[in-house]
Amino acid sequence: MSLKSKAKGLVKNKVMRPEEIVTDFPSRINIEPTNKCNLRCSMCPRKDQTRAEGEIDAALVSKLADEISRHAPAEVRLHKDGEPLLAPHIFDFIEDIKIRAPSTLLNMDTNALKLDEEKAEKLLDSRLDVLLFSVNAATADTYKKVRGSSKYDQVIANIERFLELRAERGYVWPGIKVQLIVMTDTRNEIGLFKEQWGDKEVDVLLIPAINWGGHRPEVGSLMELPLRRYPCTFLFNSFSINWDGKVSFCNVDFDHMGIIGDVNQQSIEEVWKSPEFESYRMLHKQGRWDEIDLCRDCNYWAYTRNIWYPKPGGGWM
């Protein structure tokens, strides 16, 4: 690489850094309504999960929303490892967060299996900003293969009905995304998936599969990794809260393998600035991710921008 090219790279990195590395408070917060799920997907590590199942406490959601409201607007995602529509109080959670922190961009993911007419109406009545439908197939056969369910037609009907109701109301919100996880079992359906959803009022997402911290290497992800690994920027802007209030240093922590705090006793800010969290960041900046079980064989880091540049003598800055 020429000196001129290297200089351009450094400038690009420095421009991106302020939005990717935040110090006072996370810019993206994942809150898990429940870790219960009604699917058994081939790309999910659920079969290895040993932590208890449950639903987040409503009082804890209120506490979190109050703290979020006191900081710069954050993106909050009501999802982690389960299906949010299985949480009995999910609509209360949406309302509480948007009332207490109205400037927050509030997202939710769903597999749409439970999206009946009543729930569709409630979602449209809510203040949810973005709703992502995780479909992950373009045919019933592939859906059954990757999601372990024969209800593909029901899922598509539920989503299409939701879009009809939204159009009837003349709404542009919530913004709708429809997702296909790209891996060996779905790669041949990319074109069909685009064709199915491309003419609708949705954003079509094609997301390379992750290997869940190296715990699902058999998934067959088609992600092309950069030639040289760099620190995972998620550690510097994202925050993941499990349903029981325990905080994971990474969103791929499906089984409490990387707990760094508990927002039942601590604030988000306290955990964000804690020595426990900082120790993981430091290991990444030193290029020592091999010392972390969830990071050693992970490919999730490649989802993040490379805003780093090598530090003389080793490591990154």
Side-chain angles (χ1 to χ4, degrees):
M1 181 184 291
S2 68
L3 290 176
K4 187 175 182 180
S5 296
K6 287 182 179 180
K8 285 184 178 180
L10 291 177
V11 171
K12 183 179 180 182
N13 285 359
K14 289 178 179 178
V15 169
M16 291 179 176
R17 286 176 73 85
E19 63 184 79
E20 297 295 331
I21 296 181
V22 294
T23 55
D24 291 336
F25 200 77
S27 57
R28 303 182 185 99
I29 299 173
N30 299 287
I31 300 175
E32 183 178 67
T34 181
N35 64 335
K36 297 177 182 178
C37 192
N38 48 0
L39 289 174
R40 292 296 180 267
C41 301
S42 64
M43 60 283 196
C44 179
R46 176 166 293 276
K47 66 182 179 66
D48 300 322
Q49 180 179 281
T50 61
R51 67 181 173 115
E53 293 186 341
E55 179 191 6
I56 195 168
D57 183 72
L60 178 57
V61 172
S62 296
K63 173 184 180 247
L64 297 171
D66 280 340
E67 184 178 4
I68 290 168
S69 72
R70 296 193 296 271
H71 293 265
E75 178 181 345
V76 173
R77 182 181 177 217
L78 278 172
H79 181 259
K80 187 174 176 286
D81 295 327
E83 165 51 46
L85 289 181
L86 290 179
H89 304 291
I90 185 62
F91 300 107
D92 296 330
F93 298 159
I94 294 172
E95 181 179 14
D96 197 7
I97 292 171
K98 289 304 291 184
I99 288 176
R100 295 173 188 271
S103 61
T104 296
L105 182 68
L106 186 60
N107 296 258
M108 191 180 85
D109 298 17
T110 178
N111 59 38
L113 269 173
K114 290 290 185 179
L115 188 65
D116 56 23
E117 193 95 357
E118 180 183 1
K119 290 185 175 64
E121 294 282 5
K122 285 184 176 181
L123 280 174
L124 288 167
D125 288 336
S126 77
R127 303 184 185 190
L128 189 70
D129 294 299
V130 180
L131 180 61
L132 184 148
F133 291 119
S134 184
V135 180
N136 300 328
T139 64
D141 287 344
T142 298
Y143 188 84
K144 185 172 184 179
K145 186 175 183 179
V146 303
R147 311 226 73 175
S149 169
S150 301
K151 297 182 178 180
Y152 174 77
D153 291 340
Q154 176 187 325
V155 166
I156 300 305
N158 288 348
I159 297 173
E160 290 180 341
R161 180 55 180 156
F162 183 87
L163 294 175
E164 287 175 1
L165 291 170
R166 181 172 170 266
E168 288 171 6
R169 294 186 178 206
Y171 288 0
V172 294
W173 301 108
I176 305 298
K177 299 179 181 181
V178 181
Q179 173 183 281
L180 175 72
I181 294 179
V182 180
M183 54 187 180
T184 303
D185 289 336
T186 62
R187 66 185 305 172
N188 293 328
E189 296 194 352
I190 292 174
L192 182 57
F193 191 81
K194 289 180 178 179
E195 182 180 330
Q196 288 175 340
W197 299 102
D199 62 346
K200 296 179 172 60
E201 293 295 318
V202 303
D203 290 329
V204 177
L205 301 184
L206 303 174
I207 307 296
I210 62 172
N211 64 14
W212 291 93
H215 288 266
R216 292 310 309 275
E218 69 275 24
V219 165
S221 173
L222 304 178
M223 183 187 297
E224 293 186 10
L225 300 181
L227 294 177
R228 185 177 184 185
R229 184 166 179 175
Y230 47 82
C232 180
T233 314
F234 285 132
L235 290 170
F236 298 83
N237 56 42
S238 299
F239 197 83
S240 296
I241 303 168
N242 298 289
W243 71 265
D244 56 2
K246 300 291 179 59
V247 179
S248 296
F249 78 85
C250 179
N251 199 43
V252 304
D253 179 17
F254 63 90
D255 205 34
H256 280 184
M257 294 177 282
I259 299 301
I260 54 171
D262 187 338
V263 289
N264 289 296
Q265 284 82 42
Q266 300 166 278
S267 67
I268 295 173
E269 185 176 8
E270 286 172 338
V271 179
W272 183 248
K273 296 178 179 179
S274 68
E276 291 81 7
F277 208 154
E278 189 57 32
S279 67
Y280 285 102
R281 297 186 185 114
M282 186 58 63
L283 286 172
H284 268 250
K285 286 195 287 186
Q286 294 173 349
R288 296 165 56 195
W289 36 72
D290 283 354
E291 298 178 25
I292 309 170
D293 177 64
L294 275 172
C295 302
R296 186 178 305 114
D297 300 311
C298 185
N299 64 357
Y300 196 41
W301 61 273
Y303 270 77
T304 70
R305 293 173 174 174
N306 181 9
I307 47 83
W308 307 93
Y309 28 97
K311 187 177 182 181
W316 301 81
M317 59 182 181

